[in-house]
Amino acid sequence: MALENSVFTLSPESLSPPVVEKGKVLVEEASEVMVSTGVFHVSEELGHVVTTDTAHPSANRSWKSKLAERQANAASDEYVKKLPRVMEKERGRFGWAKRRKRQRYVEKNGRCNVSHGNMRETYRYLTDIFTTLVDLNWRCSLFVFVMAYAITWLFFGAIWYLIAYLRGDLDHLEDETWTPCVNNVNGFISAFLFSIETETTIGYGYRVITDQCPVGTMLLLLQAILGSMVNAFMVGCMFVKISQPNKRAETLVFSKNAVISLRDDKLCLMFRVGDLRSSHIVGANMRAKLIKSKQTQEGEFIPLDQTDISVGFETGDDRLFLVSPLVISHEIDHHSPFWDMSQGQLEKDDFEMVVILEGMVEATGMTCQARSSYLADEVQWGHRFSPMMSLAEGFFDIDYGAFHQTLEVDTPSCSAHELSLAAARLEAHLYWSISSKLDEEKWEGSSLTNQSGKQLDNGKGGVVGPTFIVGEITRIQEQSGPGELNGCVTTDQSESEA
């Protein structure tokens, strides 16, 4: 939205010096309205409002001019109120930059922000009716539970009433010689009560089927069988829904923020996970995914592309013994998607890291899964987690008050790739400097050996055996360290052959 050279009519006489600051947008407000006309010039680059005054030729104005002045003042005030929201920016470590809030793929509580729409094949839900009923919310589940029993009771109650009506039992209620299909059924209500007693096997003994009704006998068997099936199905659904391990994940907590710092001279991305219950998760396993859109070399755009983040799968560190809170570490190496990410790039990047903890509930034996996620602005560079375990008398004390607390530590702001290159250059520099020193001292020692051999030959007129330069070699061995020189003792013969 271009704000340059925007003009608004205003008639203040003078401007008050106070300046109201909201964010980083400076707004100079008018405090007194006198007999004058003014012009607002709004500049987006400067980020402030400048008012220039021009004197009105006449001090006596009409009511129309005053009304126009008030309307202009109200419009300008409304615009000034909206201006800070329009130009609001977030401040980063390396300057001002607009940053859009990323829509989470997975919420902090583990709920996935995915809505399935325009599904044509809805019949697939009916093919797996058991899972469909279990996945319903509690309100719908209770409604289905009540309606399943009520419909079957009403259905069979209507059939019992129809049998009594067709046989004429309702016409011979006072006839003691008449044998009805069901004793003491004199209307629909009594037939409905008999249906409930039959299906629930209550058996009060007042309404009883007689042996003079074969149709009633068949219906009794059918209702008993179907009633047992309805009981098994609905009670099974409710039991599975009650015993679902979803609520067990409520006591598996993740830290609010992830951190990046050095561990053993290597950049690592870390987060903390803990279990609040005393009953443990058996066979706990940790996984992590990076959710980030990307574009392939062929130009294909892949939204929400998923990339594995190693949390110790190769070494077995992803299998946890979750008795106390643990810090899960991801080493940023050349296989990591954060290999080229520096501190400045982290503040500008837009990604989401989803962490998944899976395991078996010790009490029920059912598999449980807990999820959470971290956005780019929830990853703290140069921090590590505060210690929360202390040794008490006879046990280890865990202070969950420090579960989300972090400490700021010295951490290089470069990426892991740049840090690795710097370490390689330093190692190469040390290697070549040591080698050059060894070569210099070796040649110095060989020249001294040749000079001493020549002096002995000239003095005695004969050939003298090999001469050992012990002092020089000892000094070289001390500087180079053990194992770097093989055959450090040199002779005249070996030097001549060389």
Side-chain angles (χ1 to χ4, degrees), residues 268-332:
C268 296
L269 187 147
M270 294 168 285
F271 58 93
R272 181 179 272 170
V273 61
D275 188 4
L276 302 179
R277 288 188 179 274
S278 57
S279 59
H280 310 306
I281 297 294
V282 180
N285 184 26
M286 177 62 67
R287 294 186 292 126
K289 291 280 188 180
L290 178 66
I291 309 297
K292 186 178 181 180
S293 302
K294 76 170 187 177
Q295 189 171 6
T296 62
Q297 297 179 358
E298 295 77 14
E300 179 188 3
F301 179 75
I302 304 177
L304 302 178
D305 181 62
Q306 299 185 11
T307 305
D308 281 332
I309 299 177
S310 176
V311 289
F313 177 76
E314 295 82 4
T315 59
D317 293 336
D318 61 332
R319 294 184 288 274
L320 310 178
F321 181 53
L322 197 59
V323 177
S324 61
L326 299 176
V327 176
I328 309 301
S329 175
H330 162 65
E331 182 181 335
I332 304 178

Side-chain angles (χ1 to χ4, degrees), residues 7 32 63 113 185 207 224 253 267 272 320 337 352 365 413 428-429:
V7 178
E32 296 181 0
W63 66 273
N113 285 328
V185 172
R207 297 176 184 88
V253 292
L267 278 179
R272 181 179 272 170
L320 310 178
E352 182 178 358
S413 60
H429 175 72

Side-chain angles (χ1 to χ4, degrees), residues 119-258:
M119 292 181 296
R120 305 292 179 84
E121 300 177 352
T122 55
Y123 66 90
R124 295 181 181 272
Y125 288 98
L126 298 178
T127 57
D128 188 12
I129 187 64
F130 186 82
T131 306
T132 302
L133 293 176
V134 171
D135 290 340
L136 292 176
N137 55 27
W138 275 105
R139 184 179 301 175
C140 295
S141 297
L142 292 176
F143 177 77
V144 172
F145 185 82
V146 172
M147 292 303 296
Y149 284 103
I151 289 174
T152 53
W153 294 339
L154 288 172
F155 175 74
F156 284 102
I159 295 179
W160 286 115
Y161 176 77
L162 183 61
I163 292 175
Y165 178 77
L166 294 177
R167 291 186 77 253
D169 295 341
L170 301 179
D171 299 332
H172 300 81
L173 296 177
E174 302 297 334
D175 190 359
E176 296 182 356
T177 61
W178 180 265
T179 304
C181 183
V182 179
N183 291 327
N184 300 317
V185 172
N186 53 10
F188 179 77
I189 300 300
S190 59
F192 177 70
L193 293 176
F194 178 73
S195 174
I196 295 176
E197 295 175 15
T198 302
E199 189 167 337
T200 57
T201 64
I202 295 176
Y204 290 111
Y206 182 70
R207 297 176 184 88
V208 182
I209 189 171
T210 61
D211 55 357
Q212 302 296 323
C213 184
V215 178
T217 304
M218 298 297 297
L219 182 61
L220 180 65
L221 295 176
L222 180 62
Q223 185 175 2
I225 295 173
L226 291 180
S228 300
M229 294 175 62
V230 170
N231 286 331
F233 189 80
M234 297 310 301
V235 171
C237 287
M238 297 301 293
F239 175 77
V240 171
K241 191 171 183 63
I242 292 173
S243 61
Q244 273 185 327
N246 296 338
K247 297 303 179 182
R248 179 63 176 89
E250 297 293 333
T251 53
L252 297 174
V253 292
F254 294 88
S255 59
K256 293 180 180 178
N257 298 96

Side-chain angles (χ1 to χ4, degrees), residues 2 5 80 86 102 209 234 254 298 357-358 365 433 436 456 469:
N5 299 327
V80 167
V86 172
R102 178 186 173 93
I209 189 171
M234 297 310 301
F254 294 88
E298 295 77 14
L357 175 64
E358 293 179 341
S433 62
S436 60
L456 292 174
I469 310 300

Side-chain angles (χ1 to χ4, degrees), residues 14-57:
S14 61
L15 293 176
S16 59
V19 177
V20 179
E21 180 175 359
K22 292 183 179 181
K24 285 297 178 180
V25 182
L26 303 178
V27 181
E28 300 176 6
E29 295 183 347
S31 61
E32 296 181 0
V33 179
M34 303 298 290
V35 183
S36 63
T37 59
V39 179
F40 267 130
H41 295 282
V42 182
S43 174
E44 185 177 4
E45 297 178 356
L46 298 178
H48 60 272
V49 181
V50 180
T51 306
T52 58
D53 295 336
T54 57
H56 199 277

